[in-house]
């Protein structure tokens, strides 16, 4: 397993630096207001968890996120490529400080609607960015064959997060993410109805267009059968979009699924390779 990850890491790094050489002449995003700090993160996600970056006003993003299967299963499942989960979504910037999102993930056939809103900007007078994030998810995979008394409300779950980040310098940013999840339908033997988590994530820029990212969430649910999500990733800036390559112990890439249903064990090589692609498709300016 160590050898497999080593060679795959070399491949990813080579691909990333090739992208940088090809795109070195593309202009970077410029900050409009010199009194506030530039964004702590270039992508809307640190790895799978949300970052404090928002979509600009009247700007649309198309989101494509993919998580392959367990790489520890080896060549039989082609290191997870035969067993994948995909998330497709859109994000719209209502204003520079408010964005709305809608997505659908194949795993558990989950729809998620989200609202992200900036509360405070990091500036010379305030040390951090503070952003609120709320999600409502609908699990459409639940069947009345298994739950005869199933009602629509049982399919719902909710997420509330405070995203608190600081850009220390041009290369290094950190984010603290206290989180609360509420599930209408849950398995009391393996999880709690209400779950509290705290996440820590960061980004370190290693070149003009490449950064290494990491995040870890601690779930304080005493009954949880699932693991704390731990993810490592790489951001590659390519002008019109940010491409993220990653390894994680959670195959689900919906917000709530990622936080509360991580099943892999890093120490046993039970990890999932994947990517996130955020593409700006159009922007309407007044």
């Amino acid at each position: 397993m160590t050898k497999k990850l080593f060679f795959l890491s070399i491949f990813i790094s080579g691909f990333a630096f090739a992208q940088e050489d090809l795109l070195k002449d593309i202009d970077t995003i410029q900050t409009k207001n010199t009194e506030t700090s530039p964004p702590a993160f270039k992508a809307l996600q640190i790895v799978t968890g949300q970052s404090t970056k928002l979509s600009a006003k009247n700007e649309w993003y198309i989101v494509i996120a993919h998580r392959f299967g367990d790489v520890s299963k080896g060549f039989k499942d082609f290191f997870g490529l035969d067993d994948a989960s995909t998330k497709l979504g859109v994000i719209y910037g209502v204003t520079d400080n408010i964005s709305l999102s809608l997505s659908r993930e194949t795993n558990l056939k989950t729809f998620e609607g989200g609202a992200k809103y900036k509360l405070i900007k990091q500036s010379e007078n305030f040390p951090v960015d503070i952003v609120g994030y709320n999600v409502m998810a609908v699990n459409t995979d639940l069947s009345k064959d298994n739950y005869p008394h199933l009602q629509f409300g049982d399919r719902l779950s909710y997420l509330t997060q405070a995203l608190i980040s600081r850009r220390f310098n041009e290369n290094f940013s950190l984010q603290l993410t206290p989180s609360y999840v509420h599930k209408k339908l849950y398995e009391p033997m393996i999880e709690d109805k209400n779950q509290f988590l705290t996440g820590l994530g960061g980004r370190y820029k290693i070149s003009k267009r490449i950064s290494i990212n990491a995040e870890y969430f601690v779930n304080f649910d005493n009954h949880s059968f699932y693991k704390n999500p731990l993810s490592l990733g790489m951001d590659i800036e390519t002008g019109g979009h940010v491409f993220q390559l990653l390894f994680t112990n959670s195959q689900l890439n919906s917000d709530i699924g990622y936080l509360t249903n991580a099943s892999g064990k890093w120490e046993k090589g039970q990890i999932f390779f994947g990517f996130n692609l955020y593409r700006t498709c159009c922007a309407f300016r007044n």
Side-chain angles (χ1 to χ4, degrees):
M1 173 52 61
T2 302
K3 291 182 179 179
K4 296 171 186 174
L5 292 178
F6 175 74
F7 287 115
L8 187 55
S9 299
I10 291 176
F11 169 76
I12 292 172
S13 299
F15 172 76
F17 282 103
Q19 288 286 318
E20 180 187 7
D21 291 338
L22 290 172
L23 298 162
K24 62 183 179 179
D25 294 327
I26 298 177
D27 292 334
T28 57
I29 299 172
Q30 297 180 350
T31 305
K32 297 180 180 179
N33 191 338
T34 58
E35 295 180 356
T36 60
S37 296
F41 299 92
K42 288 297 182 70
L44 299 175
Q45 291 174 278
I46 300 177
V47 184
T48 298
Q50 295 291 316
S51 75
T52 50
K53 180 178 173 61
L54 282 81
S55 174
K57 181 180 179 180
N58 294 329
E59 195 169 59
W60 284 91
Y61 278 88
I62 294 176
V63 183
I64 303 173
H66 213 60
R67 302 291 182 271
F68 298 101
D70 185 352
V71 300
S72 69
K73 292 183 178 180
F75 192 77
K76 179 181 178 181
D77 293 327
F78 208 65
F79 304 100
L81 296 184
D82 292 343
D83 181 20
S85 177
T86 302
K87 183 175 80 171
L88 300 176
V90 293
I91 299 173
Y92 174 65
V94 180
T95 71
D96 287 336
N97 296 322
I98 302 174
S99 62
L100 301 177
S101 61
L102 181 64
S103 65
R104 196 262 190 185
E105 182 181 13
T106 56
N107 201 329
L108 301 182
K109 300 177 182 178
T110 300
F111 288 85
E112 283 191 334
K116 198 173 184 180
Y117 43 94
K118 186 177 289 293
L119 301 173
I120 302 177
K121 294 182 180 181
Q122 180 179 339
S123 67
E124 296 177 357
N125 299 320
F126 199 80
V128 295
D129 277 335
I130 301 179
V131 171
Y133 185 60
N134 293 91
V135 170
M136 183 179 74
V138 183
N139 183 342
T140 63
D141 195 42
L142 294 173
S143 171
K144 286 193 174 183
D145 293 337
N146 297 322
Y147 302 95
H149 303 291
L150 183 71
Q151 298 180 4
F152 177 78
D154 298 326
R155 300 179 182 274
L156 304 179
S157 54
Y158 304 90
L159 169 66
T160 299
Q161 290 184 310
L163 316 175
I164 306 168
S165 71
R166 176 169 173 80
R167 184 179 190 269
F168 288 90
N169 53 50
E170 182 181 356
N171 297 324
F172 180 57
S173 299
L174 275 179
Q175 180 175 301
L176 181 68
T177 310
S179 309
Y180 167 70
V181 173
H182 173 77
K183 295 185 176 183
K184 289 288 189 178
L185 187 65
Y186 67 102
E187 296 293 341
M189 297 299 294
I190 63 174
E191 63 179 346
D192 287 338
K193 182 176 184 178
N194 299 301
Q195 300 182 32
F196 296 89
L197 308 93
T198 296
L200 182 65
R203 169 183 183 266
Y204 187 79
K205 190 174 181 181
I206 61 175
S207 70
K208 184 178 179 181
R209 300 194 178 278
I210 300 171
S211 69
I212 300 298
N213 299 358
E215 67 187 15
Y216 179 68
F217 282 84
V218 176
N219 193 331
F220 298 102
D221 181 356
N222 294 324
H223 299 91
S224 182
F225 164 81
Y226 299 101
K227 312 303 176 185
N228 292 328
L230 169 64
S231 303
L232 304 175
M234 175 184 292
D235 284 4
I236 307 169
E237 298 178 50
T238 58
H241 61 267
V242 176
F243 187 52
Q244 297 179 303
L245 300 172
L246 59 95
F247 291 99
T248 178
N249 66 335
S250 178
Q251 188 181 27
L252 275 69
N253 53 35
S254 59
D255 288 293
I256 296 174
Y258 169 70
L259 293 174
T260 63
N261 292 88
S263 59
K265 298 179 180 179
W266 274 87
E267 66 274 16
K268 294 186 177 181
Q270 296 171 352
I271 56 177
F272 307 92
F273 174 65
F275 65 82
N276 302 324
L277 175 61
Y278 282 84
R279 178 71 185 181
T280 306
C281 61
C282 54
F284 302 98
R285 303 299 182 191
N286 294 329

